[in-house]
Amino acid sequence: MSPTRCVLWMIGRYRATGGGRRWFGIDCNFEPSCSAFTEEAIRRHGLVPGMRLGWDRIRRCNRHDAVCKCHEPVPDRATPGHSHLKRRERAR
């Protein structure tokens, strides 16, 4: 099994067994959920760029100041304009 298929399988198992609500007692503040976003990002952009987009999204999820679900689809391209790359450039 390829690494990409293995990661997608793990995401599928996480979602099938209840996701964040069951495992961590939390609900995602985004639509689609962080796991669905990460799965789609990996399918569109490949394993490493998709995981970066997913990780950036998960870090922003479940902040206490969020009041509603925000719609945030997967971007068409993983470009330097995305927040995870901007933070990396500022750190240099």
Side-chain angles (χ1 to χ4, degrees), residues 67-86:
V67 287
C68 65
K69 287 198 178 274
C70 302
H71 180 72
E72 184 183 286
V74 175
D76 290 332
R77 296 184 331 179
T79 62
H82 293 297
S83 59
H84 70 282
L85 294 174
K86 284 183 181 178

Side-chain angles (χ1 to χ4, degrees), residues 7-74:
V7 170
L8 291 174
W9 180 83
M10 287 189 293
I11 292 171
R13 292 287 87 208
Y14 168 77
R15 292 172 68 201
T17 59
R21 181 176 288 222
R22 177 170 183 227
W23 293 104
F24 305 109
I26 55 175
D27 285 322
C28 187
N29 287 331
F30 292 103
E31 184 61 41
S33 69
C34 292
S35 58
F37 177 93
T38 303
E39 180 179 8
E40 184 178 348
I42 291 170
R43 290 184 191 280
R44 277 194 193 181
H45 303 296
L47 182 60
V48 173
M51 290 293 290
R52 284 184 184 153
L53 288 169
W55 178 248
D56 186 50
R57 169 82 172 269
I58 290 166
R59 289 182 351 164
R60 291 181 286 119
C61 189
N62 289 302
R63 291 188 178 164
H64 297 291
D65 58 349
V67 287
C68 65
K69 287 198 178 274
C70 302
H71 180 72
E72 184 183 286
V74 175

